[in-house]
Amino acid sequence: MRLRVEFTTEPFDLDVAPAHAVVAREIVTGAELDAVDVGPFGNTAEGDADQVLGAVTALLRESLRAGATRVSLQVNVIGDARQDEGGAS
């Protein structure tokens, strides 16, 4: 199964990236995920379910430890390679 995670950490600071945002971004860019996109107000990454869930666990733990007061995230199932190979039309 493949998953897509979208997340933001708060509080925001438009002048300097807060430590919690930097930590969260380092976790997803350092994980073995596909299609990582980081931005000032939201971040997304895709990958194998186990890899995404492992990154989400680390992201929550470390960004809260680094000062985040809120982490908003959404996880979506985006496909399963085994189903895609089945040739469903």
Side-chain angles (χ1 to χ4, degrees), residues 53-85:
L53 295 174
V56 166
T57 299
L59 181 151
L60 290 170
R61 182 181 298 113
E62 298 305 321
S63 61
L64 292 169
R65 190 174 289 155
T69 58
R70 176 188 295 215
V71 179
S72 301
L73 64 89
Q74 180 173 329
V75 178
N76 294 300
V77 175
I78 58 172
D80 185 330
R82 292 174 299 212
Q83 290 176 344
D84 295 341
E85 291 170 5

Side-chain angles (χ1 to χ4, degrees), residues 24-36:
R25 290 175 187 157
E26 287 175 350
I27 289 168
V28 296
T29 57
E32 295 180 22
L33 302 175
D34 307 324
V36 175

